[in-house]
Amino acid sequence: MSRAEAPPADGEGPIGIVAGGGRLPLEVAEAVEASGRRVIIAGIDGEADLVLDHPATRTFRWGQVGGAIDFMAAKGVRDVVFVGAIARRPDFKAMRLDIGTLRRVPKIVKALVGGDDSVVRKVLALIEAEGFRVKGIAEVAPALLVSEGTLGRHRPTPEDLEDAMLAMRALATLGPFDVGQSAVVVRGRIVAIEAAEGTDRMLQRVKELREMGRVGGRGGILVKRAKPGQDLRTELPTVGAATVAAAAGAKLGGIVLEAGRTIVADRPQTIADADAAGLFLHAVAGEEQVA
Amino acid sequence: MSRAEAPPADGEGPIGIVAGGGRLPLEVAEAVEASGRRVIIAGIDGEADLVLDHPATRTFRWGQVGGAIDFMAAKGVRDVVFVGAIARRPDFKAMRLDIGTLRRVPKIVKALVGGDDSVVRKVLALIEAEGFRVKGIAEVAPALLVSEGTLGRHRPTPEDLEDAMLAMRALATLGPFDVGQSAVVVRGRIVAIEAAEGTDRMLQRVKELREMGRVGGRGGILVKRAKPGQDLRTELPTVGAATVAAAAGAKLGGIVLEAGRTIVADRPQTIADADAAGLFLHAVAGEEQVA
């Protein structure tokens, strides 16, 4: 199918998955396939890992954005979803660019110089200007989102839930500043707020602060939520086995997620890990209740 | 003078300095003495360092709070100021306590289990209940506070000042949550927010994130301000040579402080260091303008 043909209507044709690292791209692909649609996967070279095992994956370097777009269009993709971790921002200065990318490079560069969410919004606009519809995981694989309630064997105490609400409110106030996807609270005290470092690195810091005696008390929780106004089509807050291990390392009591807007990657394994580590894994309603 | 005698009126008698680590306790002592009042210094064992060289210093372990209080009262102290860094919270379980401390221990323990500012407020109330008046550095050594304007040789650009205002606003919204004394902004993006780790550790993180490619762009600023509602009698945000070195290590362009509510410790040396590192050191009006 060439790009000149009429694009398929909404809900037809394969879902295009632009894939970064981790297990989630593979899980999304499997959930889409379980729902009866095919997938076409453009793995980002140097970022995509587990998804490379999927037969529908082809990898592209950042310098080949044009090639990736043409590849997906040629396969009849109209609906695209972005999934997975990006460890580093691309350095366009060090890149050899393909023709299709060169043509688009001014827009891409413009998108990449802004802050986190502004980048995302600009990239979305760019992709949509190419004729794609950008979908969220919530639309193409809703089974992956967490629902309200406790996921594993352990349960939060009322004090844990109070601490969770404190963090939810603090993170909600940071929303307009495009920062704050997670925080750690220990007995009424916010001891860490996530910015560019990412959740796992923040938890490692809490571990070190505890070992140094700068964070006292026992237990404590990790709270993870979508930023207010965050474009959920591109970046759903996610916890997985690494998050559970890092939270256990920081001697926290558990993890509280925002229901309906966060994902537990590799859910059976992550829940089993939390159970084994003695951590609760719990989801509460987010913004409406606390903002 | 025994505690039974009438206490000296406000502004008379020596100033009591309860001293933690760093150069600031010594600078406060010198500024008080320059203003014509004597000092009595209770250095916290294991925390106080440079101030130990002052002839009016006597050290006390956390377990000897009672002894320190009696020592200051016996020297005629009525006005007390708390100055300097405390690297770790005391562990009362591991302590041998003097009689005066044992008597007060329920209140002290109650004070120390809360969050940062609530601890401070409770300790202040406790000290005041003992008949002391707790003063701030702003009262006893106002010359140490920074005024609006640029302190060294380098100047911020208008973009730097925009970034500073972004951080000031974000930190102001965190005030009710008793967290957020500093943040780092790189070209419109908040990349780090300080909680329990302290400013220098946060700057070390920014350095690492830059080396990993997770924080791009050039320059950027550290913004440090008093928390809204923070009790300035006990904890003034302070920058010094270590802050400048850490900011330079993170390849920032400069440091922006809240005028009138922050301190540059060892000012001549710190300014000289900033000049040599190519960093600006600048103070702007805080809360009223941005909250």
Side-chain angles (χ1 to χ4, degrees):
Chain A
M1 183 200 259
S2 83
R3 299 198 66 196
E5 293 177 36
D10 197 13
E12 297 173 25
I15 299 272
I17 299 177
V18 179
R23 172 170 293 277
L24 196 56
L26 196 56
E27 293 190 85
V28 170
E30 289 165 354
V32 168
E33 290 172 323
S35 76
R37 281 180 86 173
R38 283 189 308 121
V39 296
I40 295 295
I41 306 172
I44 299 165
D45 189 45
E47 302 285 354
D49 39 40
L50 297 175
V51 81
L52 300 178
D53 293 335
H54 194 287
T57 301
R58 190 164 143 189
T59 61
F60 294 89
R61 294 193 303 275
W62 280 112
Q64 300 172 307
V65 173
I69 286 173
D70 293 339
F71 163 69
M72 289 196 294
K75 294 287 189 181
V77 168
R78 178 112 194 259
D79 297 337
V80 177
V81 61
F82 290 74
V83 191
I86 301 298
R88 50 183 66 235
R89 291 186 178 211
D91 177 5
F92 276 94
K93 280 177 294 191
M95 249 172 226
R96 293 173 57 192
L97 306 177
D98 68 14
I99 300 284
T101 303
L102 269 179
R103 181 163 60 79
R104 299 164 174 113
V105 102
K107 282 187 197 164
I108 295 172
V109 169
K110 195 162 168 239
L112 288 164
V113 295
D116 252 1
D117 277 10
S118 72
V119 168
V120 164
R121 282 189 291 269
K122 287 171 188 166
V123 169
L124 288 186
L126 183 63
I127 298 287
E128 290 181 331
E130 296 276 349
F132 294 100
R133 289 179 298 237
V134 178
K135 299 291 181 179
I137 294 175
E139 292 170 279
V140 302
L144 294 176
L145 299 173
V146 296
S147 311
E148 275 186 69
T150 302
L151 280 87
R153 187 150 52 87
H154 307 286
R155 296 185 164 279
T157 66
E159 291 73 29
D160 291 326
L161 294 176
E162 268 178 43
D163 281 350
M165 283 300 130
L166 175 72
M168 287 277 181
R169 282 192 298 269
L171 295 176
T173 68
L174 284 176
F177 302 99
D178 196 9
V179 67
Q181 285 216 145
S182 79
V184 174
V185 183
V186 178
R187 310 229 153 191
R189 179 185 178 211
I190 297 174
V191 299
I193 297 175
E194 176 186 343
E197 72 272 30
T199 307
D200 293 355
R201 196 166 297 270
M202 178 188 69
L203 290 170
Q204 175 65 28
R205 172 163 90 245
V206 173
K207 173 176 189 282
E208 291 164 7
L209 291 171
R210 284 206 135 141
E211 287 165 356
M212 294 165 61
R214 289 185 67 145
V215 170
R218 302 175 63 178
I221 52 167
L222 167 69
V223 174
K224 195 151 181 176
R225 61 170 284 150
K227 289 181 279 190
Q230 179 173 348
D231 195 324
L232 298 175
R233 289 179 299 170
T234 53
E235 196 192 357
L236 281 177
T238 304
V239 302
T243 322
V244 167
K251 299 203 188 309
L252 301 185
I255 299 172
V256 173
L257 302 171
E258 184 184 5
R261 312 215 302 164
T262 53
I263 285 179
V264 176
D266 198 5
R267 195 180 291 207
Q269 184 62 50
T270 300
I271 291 174
D273 286 0
D275 284 350
L279 294 179
F280 61 81
L281 205 54
H282 185 83
V284 298
E287 202 153 350
E288 315 86 306
Q289 292 197 353
V290 302
Chain B
M1 183 200 260
S2 84
R3 299 199 66 197
E5 292 175 37
D10 197 13
E12 297 172 24
I15 299 273
I17 299 177
V18 179
R23 174 169 292 276
L24 195 56
L26 196 56
E27 293 190 84
V28 170
E30 289 166 353
V32 168
E33 291 172 324
S35 77
R37 283 181 86 174
R38 283 189 308 118
V39 296
I40 295 293
I41 305 173
I44 299 165
D45 189 47
E47 303 284 356
D49 40 39
L50 298 173
V51 81
L52 300 178
D53 292 335
H54 194 286
T57 301
R58 192 165 141 190
T59 61
F60 294 89
R61 294 193 303 275
W62 280 113
Q64 300 172 308
V65 173
I69 287 174
D70 293 340
F71 163 69
M72 290 196 294
K75 294 287 189 182
V77 168
R78 179 113 194 259
D79 296 337
V80 177
V81 61
F82 291 72
V83 191
I86 302 296
R88 50 184 64 237
R89 293 187 176 209
D91 177 5
F92 277 93
K93 280 177 293 190
M95 247 172 228
R96 295 173 55 193
L97 306 177
D98 69 13
I99 300 284
T101 303
L102 269 179
R103 182 165 60 78
R104 299 167 174 111
V105 101
K107 283 186 194 163
I108 296 172
V109 169
K110 196 162 167 240
L112 289 164
V113 296
D116 251 1
D117 277 9
S118 70
V119 169
V120 163
R121 281 189 291 269
K122 287 170 187 166
V123 169
L124 288 184
L126 183 64
I127 299 286
E128 290 181 332
E130 297 276 349
F132 293 100
R133 290 180 297 238
V134 178
K135 300 290 183 180
I137 293 175
E139 292 171 280
V140 303
L144 294 178
L145 299 172
V146 296
S147 311
E148 276 186 68
T150 302
L151 280 86
R153 187 150 52 88
H154 306 286
R155 298 185 161 278
T157 65
E159 291 72 30
D160 291 325
L161 294 176
E162 266 180 44
D163 281 349
M165 284 300 130
L166 174 72
M168 287 277 180
R169 283 192 298 269
L171 296 176
T173 68
L174 284 175
F177 302 98
D178 196 9
V179 67
Q181 284 215 148
S182 78
V184 174
V185 183
V186 178
R187 310 228 153 191
R189 179 184 177 211
I190 297 174
V191 299
I193 297 175
E194 176 185 344
E197 72 272 30
T199 306
D200 293 355
R201 197 166 295 271
M202 179 189 68
L203 290 170
Q204 174 64 28
R205 171 164 91 245
V206 174
K207 173 176 189 281
E208 291 164 7
L209 291 171
R210 283 206 135 143
E211 289 166 355
M212 295 164 60
R214 289 186 66 145
V215 170
R218 302 175 65 176
I221 52 167
L222 167 68
V223 174
K224 196 152 179 173
R225 61 169 286 148
K227 288 181 279 191
Q230 179 172 347
D231 194 325
L232 297 175
R233 290 178 300 170
T234 53
E235 195 194 354
L236 281 176
T238 304
V239 303
T243 323
V244 167
K251 299 203 188 306
L252 301 185
I255 299 173
V256 174
L257 302 171
E258 184 184 6
R261 314 214 302 164
T262 54
I263 284 179
V264 176
D266 198 4
R267 196 179 292 206
Q269 185 62 51
T270 301
I271 291 174
D273 286 1
D275 284 350
L279 294 179
F280 62 80
L281 205 54
H282 185 83
V284 298
E287 201 152 351
E288 317 86 306
Q289 291 199 350
V290 300

